[in-house]
Amino acid sequence: MIVLPPPPPPPSLRNLKNACCFSPLILGSSYHHRVISVQSQRTWRPAMFLNQKPTVKDGVLSINGRDALAGVPDNVVVTPWTDSSAFLGATSAHSTSRHVFKLGVIQDARFLCLFRFKIFWKIPRVGNSGSDIPAETQMLLLEAKEETTSNGSISYIVFLPVLDGEFRSSLQGNSANELEFCVESGDPAIVASESLNAVFVNYGNNPFDLMTESMKILEKYTGTFTIRERKQMPGMLDWFGWCTWDAFYQEVNPQGIKDGIKSLTEGGTPPRFLIIDDGWQDTTNEFQKEGEPIVEGSQFGGRLVSIKENSKFKKTENEAPSEAPTDLKEFVSDIKKSFGLKYVYVWHALLGYWGGLHPDAPGTKKYNPELKFPVQSPGNLANMRDLSMDCMEKYGVGMIDPTKVSEFYDDLHKYLVSQEVDGVKVDVQNILETLATGLGGRVSLTRQFQEALEKSVAANFKDNSIICCMGHSTDSIYNSKTSAITRASDDYYPKNAKTQSLHIAAVAYNSIFFGEFVVPDWDMFYSLHYAAEFHAAARAVGGCGVYVSDKPGQHDFKILKRLVLPDGSVLRAKYPGRPSRDCLFSDPVMDGESLLKIWNLNKFSGVIGVFNCQGAGSWPCLDSSILNDTNVELSGKVSPADIELFQEVCGESWTGDCAVFSFQEGSLSRLPKQRSFPVTLETLQCDVFTVSPIKVYNKTIRFAPLGLIEMYNSGGAVKEMEFSKDRMSIKGRGPGRFGAYSSQKPKSCLVNSREVGFNFRSEDNLLTIITPHEANSWDISIGY
């Protein structure tokens, strides 16, 4: 448990203006480094640090006795919080709705930042100087090396721009290598001359623990959001799904949905979760004229005219005979009954539709919509334009009256529940920051809508049934109380060859941040696609929901059956999948030399996915001329030590050795935890390694379960394991080939109390047993 001091009273400007100074990171520069050696431990907690709170002396900020930043302007304020953390802010001589404050120069230090390259989405960038930090950076993680030791002991400093009253902050760099922070209200009427708690900074010797502990501190301090581990997880996460978007886009229709579910079911991978995406709602679009060519982007001018379904999903009075169901309820009830669907979600935008609500439609007039034209902040405009945002700026948005938003969500969700719909995917969430003028500013407006949305979901749906999307701004993230799933990347674009590897890398790095709040959603993908296995393996180690958007009849069941069990469930890993520690400050997409390693855990084993993202694309906002769009073969090192939190699965009987199984090679190796092994992959190739601690039983038997070795995340199949009286008992689920490392050849094997044959490969000690196809669960008993 973290015991925090109570929030301090708001300090006066007079007392704080020159109290302390904050400076640029200059690790590795000519400034003197005061280093205190801290023994590296696996689990980081603030209490383990010596009692040296962040302090400033002679313009140098020291954290835990180590100099971090120097050359600080006098108007910058540091408020120490815990032994390793502080809040940063600044003051100004004038009041305005947007300030940009300098913090100092960053150079000669490796860092990772996560920034919004478009208004709705963020991606990673690595660098070593302030000029490499883009506008709209929402997390900055720096590597702090201890230079006095030969092996370079490494610790980490994280900067998290947060919400401070009615202002929201972000980080950015400038051409002078200065780190800056920007605070803005989004409403010219909401002004201030200072922001004293705009950026939270913290220090630790493990980057993942550092993020977790930082969010626990901020959760208690702000009271505006809840961390992931304390949120209810929607049940759909553990079931295979199908989304209609890339299959049909806005042309989705009842028969097409039936065809898609049927073809997946007949192939042996039945979806139990369905998202009916954009195209089911009752909308109108004055910018698309019948008989005229479609103008690109004009679809974003459409507006909602009622909360009910459109004519594709219901019959209208006096209509000629058609294939349409009587109404949405009849259709949803039919597909649930016919195909065994457990969850049906539908899509809607935060403001109803892309262009909001129609101001004069009888079905939406009660919510007092007003046509407003979005205005983006300079930070968003500094990076990459977004087509949908450009079009909404052009066509306007039918903004719901904030006093009516609770009524709108309640009416919409209550209606959907009456139609047997189980949940919603809510899109276009960052739109509010562009509409905040005259409405109290972006922070309070977002909080009001977020609270109304989450309250309605809780009141109307069971199971916390919401997926958030296009909500990468911290306005939304730091106001998330109950929502437990958020899309963690830009869309999956099946026709864009340059984005396949970017998608995987972006989600993995974004999950360092998002994984503290939610289960990051990796989006849909095509199973019949040249990069399908690349995407499938990433989702297997991602700890996320698994759903495809295949067109009906266009499936690769070889790939799908490595993800999905015959009952429609998936083997989901325990945590959000994140890059290994040695990948944090490398660019796995464009540096031409780095593989991406993503780690996770199951109940009894770890898992590492290794991906070659090089040569297939280039990050937006970076010069792609340095990239050759050709196949790049790379070799790298992989180690069981790449798996964080591995002690959770080891226990007291662990020998220190691991069984490592390669999915692609089907090979089993035994090696110590700290030992590494080589992996060579070509562009868009991947492998998944199950890493299971070898434990000693009865003093002579060494054993490690691998799970269903024909599945990407094989270890996810193992649920219970115990050894008693010369017998190893393993409970799990799913048919297929169960594998394990066994130092001895067993005398007998039972599956569900029936004796069965087994195979033992003496050259690598691989034991395999076939579990029955008709059994969703099994109990294997191995006698020695």
Side-chain angles (χ1 to χ4, degrees), residues 65 72 145 201 270 328 385 479 530 539 637 651 706-707 736-737:
V72 183
K145 285 189 175 181
V201 60
L328 185 61
R385 304 288 305 203
N479 280 308
Y530 67 88
R539 284 150 182 82
K637 298 288 187 180
L706 301 171
R737 196 157 61 109

Side-chain angles (χ1 to χ4, degrees), residues 97-384:
S97 62
R98 186 175 190 269
H99 290 276
V100 176
F101 295 109
K102 294 181 178 180
L103 293 176
V105 178
I106 291 185
Q107 56 190 111
D108 299 325
R110 297 201 303 170
F111 60 75
L112 164 69
C113 55
L114 302 177
F115 75 102
R116 286 200 296 168
F117 78 104
K118 293 181 185 177
I119 184 172
F120 298 115
W121 308 113
K122 68 171 171 262
I123 55 175
R125 178 174 293 178
V126 296
N128 56 23
S129 64
S131 60
D132 296 327
I133 301 173
E136 279 296 310
T137 287
Q138 299 187 146
M139 186 203 83
L140 178 63
L141 181 69
L142 303 118
E143 178 186 61
K145 285 189 175 181
E146 185 176 310
E147 296 182 340
T148 58
T149 59
S150 59
N151 59 0
S153 174
I154 296 174
S155 53
Y156 304 86
I157 300 171
V158 66
F159 293 84
L160 295 168
V162 292
L163 309 181
D164 187 12
E166 299 304 310
F167 285 74
R168 174 257 184 191
S169 60
S170 61
L171 299 172
Q172 60 191 45
N174 63 28
S175 59
N177 286 332
E178 292 171 308
L179 177 65
E180 301 173 335
F181 74 92
C182 169
V183 291
E184 54 193 334
S185 71
D187 185 342
I190 306 298
V191 301
S193 61
E194 61 183 28
S195 181
L196 301 180
N197 296 312
V199 181
F200 180 76
V201 60
N202 202 1
Y203 171 96
N205 63 0
N206 179 295
F208 305 103
D209 290 339
L210 175 60
M211 288 299 300
T212 297
E213 297 305 327
S214 295
M215 293 308 174
K216 287 181 179 179
I217 293 171
L218 289 172
E219 178 194 37
K220 288 177 181 281
Y221 169 74
T222 66
T224 61
F225 71 92
T226 306
I227 59 174
R228 171 183 50 82
E229 63 187 50
R230 299 203 300 111
K231 290 180 175 178
Q232 178 188 358
M233 292 298 118
M236 45 69 57
L237 281 170
D238 294 313
W239 298 93
F240 176 55
W242 180 54
C243 178
T244 62
W245 179 243
D246 286 309
F248 300 106
Y249 299 111
Q250 291 171 321
E251 302 305 313
V252 62
N253 61 84
Q255 188 57 51
I257 292 174
K258 289 182 178 180
D259 291 343
I261 300 172
K262 182 180 179 182
S263 62
L264 283 166
T265 300
E266 289 178 345
T269 57
R272 301 301 187 210
F273 165 56
L274 169 69
I275 301 176
I276 304 176
D277 212 293
D278 190 358
W280 70 272
Q281 291 173 288
D282 189 9
T283 63
T284 186
N285 194 329
E286 62 184 284
F287 308 104
Q288 292 182 342
K289 304 297 184 182
E290 188 174 350
E292 295 183 4
I294 299 295
V295 177
E296 185 183 15
S298 62
Q299 67 269 27
F300 301 114
R303 311 196 201 285
L304 198 70
V305 296
S306 83
I307 61 173
K308 297 185 177 182
E309 66 274 27
N310 60 35
S311 59
K312 291 183 290 182
F313 288 87
K314 66 177 180 181
K315 288 185 171 70
T316 56
E317 292 183 8
N318 304 319
E319 182 183 34
S322 73
E323 296 297 321
T326 301
D327 54 19
L328 185 61
K329 180 177 181 178
E330 180 193 65
F331 173 68
V332 173
S333 178
D334 178 35
I335 58 176
K336 283 184 175 181
K337 182 178 179 180
S338 299
F339 300 107
L341 284 169
K342 294 178 178 291
Y343 305 94
V344 174
Y345 282 28
V346 299
W347 178 98
H348 71 79
L350 189 72
L351 298 182
Y353 200 64
W354 291 97
L357 307 187
H358 195 288
D360 300 315
T364 55
K365 202 167 186 178
K366 64 182 287 191
Y367 309 113
N368 298 339
E370 177 186 355
L371 189 62
K372 297 191 70 171
F373 291 85
V375 177
Q376 295 190 64
S377 76
N380 292 330
L381 298 175
N383 291 322
M384 195 170 172

Side-chain angles (χ1 to χ4, degrees), residues 425-733:
K425 175 183 176 183
V426 183
D427 218 336
V428 206
Q429 295 202 6
N430 284 167
I431 187 65
L432 292 176
E433 69 183 69
T434 69
L435 301 170
T437 297
L439 295 174
R442 56 189 289 173
V443 174
S444 61
L445 184 66
T446 299
R447 182 172 297 141
Q448 182 178 358
F449 274 69
Q450 186 84 15
E451 288 177 352
L453 176 65
E454 293 186 335
K455 182 179 178 181
S456 177
V457 168
N460 291 293
F461 299 112
K462 300 175 182 178
D463 202 40
N464 197 20
S465 300
I466 179 173
I467 301 171
C468 297
C469 192
M470 300 177 78
H472 280 207
S473 174
T474 46
D475 306 60
S476 297
I477 297 164
Y478 286 121
N479 280 308
S480 172
K481 284 274 197 174
T482 59
S483 301
I485 304 174
T486 293
R487 264 276 303 282
S489 75
D490 197 351
D491 289 11
Y492 165 73
Y493 296 108
K495 297 178 182 178
N496 189 333
K498 292 184 178 294
T499 64
Q500 304 308 311
S501 62
L502 302 186
H503 189 101
I504 303 308
V507 179
Y509 283 88
N510 286 345
S511 293
I512 299 170
F513 180 77
F514 274 125
E516 302 301 332
F517 302 90
V518 294
V519 174
D521 181 272
W522 289 63
D523 202 12
M524 64 204 85
F525 68 102
Y526 278 170
S527 72
L528 190 62
H529 190 270
Y530 67 88
E533 183 161 72
F534 204 71
H535 285 277
R539 284 150 182 82
V541 299
C544 54
V546 177
Y547 57 106
V548 296
S549 194
D550 294 350
K551 295 179 184 296
Q554 298 184 25
H555 318 288
D556 185 335
F557 288 107
K558 183 178 179 181
I559 286 176
L560 289 177
K561 288 180 179 180
R562 296 169 176 173
L563 284 170
V564 186
L565 298 178
D567 66 351
S569 64
V570 297
L571 304 180
R572 189 165 67 92
K574 186 175 182 179
Y575 294 112
R578 287 158 287 182
S580 62
R581 205 181 302 197
D582 61 344
C583 292
L584 290 178
F585 306 109
S586 301
D587 183 349
V589 171
M590 292 182 64
D591 70 10
E593 60 184 21
S594 301
L595 295 174
L596 172 61
K597 297 180 289 185
I598 303 174
W599 65 271
N600 215 319
L601 287 181
N602 294 298
K603 189 170 183 179
F604 293 97
S605 59
V607 61
I608 308 172
V610 186
F611 303 84
N612 184 351
C613 302
Q614 304 282 351
S618 56
W619 291 116
C621 309
L622 281 180
D623 181 9
S624 62
S625 64
I626 63 174
L627 180 76
N628 293 317
D629 293 321
T630 58
N631 181 52
V632 178
E633 183 179 87
L634 291 178
S635 295
K637 298 288 187 180
V638 179
S639 170
D642 292 328
I643 303 173
E644 303 287 332
L645 307 178
F646 196 61
Q647 75 278 5
E648 289 187 11
V649 302
C650 294
E652 296 179 357
S653 58
W654 186 36
T655 66
D657 285 354
C658 301
V660 180
F661 183 81
S662 163
F663 176 84
Q664 297 289 8
E665 301 294 331
S667 60
L668 178 62
S669 303
R670 175 178 174 173
L671 72 164
K673 180 189 174 183
Q674 298 299 331
R675 187 78 57 83
S676 63
F677 55 93
V679 175
T680 300
L681 298 169
E682 295 183 356
T683 296
L684 292 179
Q685 282 189 342
C686 60
D687 202 349
V688 180
F689 297 92
T690 296
V691 182
S692 186
I694 299 173
K695 300 180 183 180
V696 180
Y697 301 91
N698 207 22
K699 298 183 179 180
T700 59
I701 300 167
R702 287 170 169 77
F703 188 90
L706 301 171
L708 295 179
I709 59 177
E710 291 167 349
M711 307 292 284
Y712 291 119
N713 182 30
S714 63
V718 180
K719 298 303 175 186
E720 301 293 340
M721 192 175 78
E722 71 173 334
F723 186 87
S724 178
K725 297 180 181 179
D726 298 326
R727 297 201 75 87
M728 178 66 71
S729 177
I730 305 147
K731 297 181 185 295
R733 62 190 181 95

